[in-house]
Amino acid sequence: METFPYRRVEQVKAKVTIKDVARRAGCGIATASRVLNNSGPASADVRSRVQKAAQDLGFSFSALGRALQSSRSMTVGCLVPSLANPVFAEAVQGLQTVLAGTGYQLLIASSNYDGAADNDAIATLIAKEVDGLIVTMVAPEHSAALALARTRGIPVALMFHDPVAGLPSAHVDNGAAAREVARRFGDLGHRRTAFLALRFASSDRSRNRYAGFLAECRLRGLPDPVLIELTETEANTPERLAQTLAALPDLTAIFASNDFLAIAVQKAARLLGWRVPRDLSVVGFDGIEIGRLLDVPLATIETEPAAMGRQAALTLLDLLQGGAPVQLPPLPFTFRAGATLAPPRADRRDDDRVAPRPPSVLSLKTDLKQG
């Protein structure tokens, strides 16, 4: 890793903060943090100015830690729904990259998508006197524990959530991404589509994706997509999901609210004897790496979870240095074509015809046992 001059300074003045460096360099605090921590892009000119300002002022992140040690715990609390989901694990890695070298330690909690567990975890982190919070949770705008944190002056940054009033969030535009999926479906001739979701009522990300998908379908004069809300059992049991799909035999394309659900759809389709994408097109959301490794690589909206983590951490560092909450633009997304998206079969594209109902899951199981 490149070593900058400011790291070689032995005598520092505790009163110097990163805000002083940013002011002298003529840039924002988040930009100065990225340069000094070597954790994000910056132009050569800005990088040079920040490094010179830090050297002139005798600033280092370790000096920041010593300056604040007496009045702060130098810990940051992080709450995510699950670390088993690689999307959230990558985001945590991203924020750890930024916090490394700042003197802050990360305390991590997970809630398994449970609102009560969210509040309990945040209450515990508050009790441990964290200096700031970075969270992804069920409903930040309605969380009593999060409201308590804000009342106590604890800075909060969100990840993955669309912006919430007063809480800056590192996110992608879920509605815009979902519109892109609807455009892809429409351009290929799909009319009978569905949106598949788990925890729809408690996930603002899922609801906003559906809203964007629905809006673009209506804009194109397409029928409203079917909203399929799965239970945990249905999502985790291919046979149960196959039963759900079997009840909707005229569907030609499904947009799943995350990649794991999209992969589950492919499994359920195989149980019904459907081939993806010949009989059913499937698109996911997130762009997890395993989707590339499938026999039929998954078409999906690809995001950058690590970048979300880095942006959330930089935002929180800015808040910890006294900056005002500023909502940054959404992070970019891309559509990864994969191989699970194709035009619908002719006999499924004609509005006046309905494809034959596939065999039931029960008959499939019987056939397998007899075979």
Side-chain angles (χ1 to χ4, degrees):
M1 179 181 293
E2 182 180 1
T3 302
F4 299 126
Y6 75 92
R7 295 189 183 275
R8 296 197 295 266
V9 175
E10 297 180 358
Q11 299 297 324
V12 295
K13 297 180 179 180
K15 67 180 180 181
V16 177
T17 71
I18 196 170
K19 183 182 293 187
D20 300 319
V21 175
R23 184 182 299 113
R24 176 169 289 201
C27 67
I29 295 174
T31 299
S33 295
R34 285 197 299 272
V35 171
L36 296 179
N37 202 40
N38 199 28
S39 60
S43 69
D45 176 61
V46 170
R47 189 173 294 278
S48 176
R49 294 203 314 267
V50 171
Q51 291 171 2
K52 185 176 186 307
Q55 184 178 29
D56 291 346
L57 293 172
F59 173 84
S60 72
F61 275 124
S62 59
L64 172 65
R66 288 193 297 273
L68 298 176
Q69 193 69 50
S70 60
S71 60
R72 294 186 179 178
S73 68
M74 298 306 294
T75 57
V76 169
C78 175
L79 171 64
V80 292
S82 169
L83 288 172
N85 187 328
V87 172
F88 299 119
E90 287 178 31
V92 170
Q93 287 181 329
L95 65 91
Q96 284 181 318
T97 298
V98 172
L99 293 179
T102 65
Y104 284 101
Q105 298 296 315
L106 193 64
L107 303 181
I108 304 173
S110 63
S111 63
N112 196 32
Y113 304 90
D114 182 272
D118 279 338
N119 279 321
D120 289 344
I122 290 173
T124 298
L125 292 170
I126 292 174
K128 292 184 178 296
E129 299 185 341
V130 295
D131 296 323
L133 290 166
I134 297 174
V135 301
T136 305
M137 56 191 304
V138 168
E141 67 275 23
H142 300 306
S143 169
L146 201 60
L148 174 62
R150 299 176 70 187
T151 299
R152 294 190 176 183
I154 300 173
V156 178
L158 303 180
M159 294 190 299
F160 296 97
H161 293 284
D162 287 283
V164 175
L167 292 174
S169 181
H171 71 295
V172 298
D173 189 328
N174 288 289
R179 284 177 177 271
E180 178 62 22
V181 176
R183 284 192 287 270
R184 300 277 178 156
F185 283 170
D187 289 347
L188 289 173
H190 291 282
R191 293 183 59 80
R192 300 186 184 96
T193 66
F195 181 81
L196 189 70
L198 179 65
R199 308 181 191 90
F200 183 78
S202 61
S203 171
D204 59 342
R205 284 94 66 201
S206 186
R207 294 194 303 274
N208 289 338
R209 288 166 195 171
Y210 174 69
F213 188 54
L214 173 64
E216 186 64 24
C217 286
R218 289 179 172 177
L219 182 65
R220 288 173 163 261
L222 302 176
D224 286 0
V226 177
L227 174 60
I228 305 173
E229 300 182 56
L230 298 181
T231 64
E232 293 277 355
T233 300
E234 289 171 327
N236 294 319
T237 310
E239 292 81 7
R240 290 287 300 276
L241 181 52
Q243 288 179 324
T244 299
L245 297 182
L248 299 165
D250 59 335
L251 289 180
T252 66
I254 289 180
F255 175 28
S257 61
N258 65 55
D259 285 346
F260 284 114
L261 288 179
I263 293 170
V265 168
Q266 293 184 72
K267 171 67 173 178
R270 285 196 298 272
L271 290 177
L272 293 171
W274 296 357
R275 285 183 289 175
V276 175
R278 178 181 181 273
D279 301 310
L280 181 69
S281 286
V282 181
V283 173
F285 199 108
D286 287 326
I288 62 176
E289 190 61 26
I290 194 173
R292 297 180 184 270
L293 306 178
L294 300 175
D295 290 341
V296 183
L298 181 65
T300 186
I301 294 292
E302 193 168 51
T303 63
E304 298 182 34
M308 287 192 203
R310 291 193 297 269
Q311 187 183 92
L314 288 168
T315 296
L316 187 67
L317 286 175
D318 192 352
L319 294 173
L320 287 167
Q321 288 296 299
V326 175
Q327 179 56 57
L328 297 176
L331 290 160
F333 64 85
T334 57
F335 185 86
R336 192 169 79 200
T340 58
L341 176 60
R345 276 172 33 198
D347 64 341
R348 304 189 110 200
R349 186 168 56 240
D350 188 341
D351 287 343
D352 295 327
R353 300 174 63 183
V354 176
R357 181 178 292 274
S360 69
V361 173
L362 178 60
S363 68
L364 281 171
K365 285 185 173 179
T366 302
D367 290 343
L368 289 172
K369 288 179 180 177
Q370 292 175 347

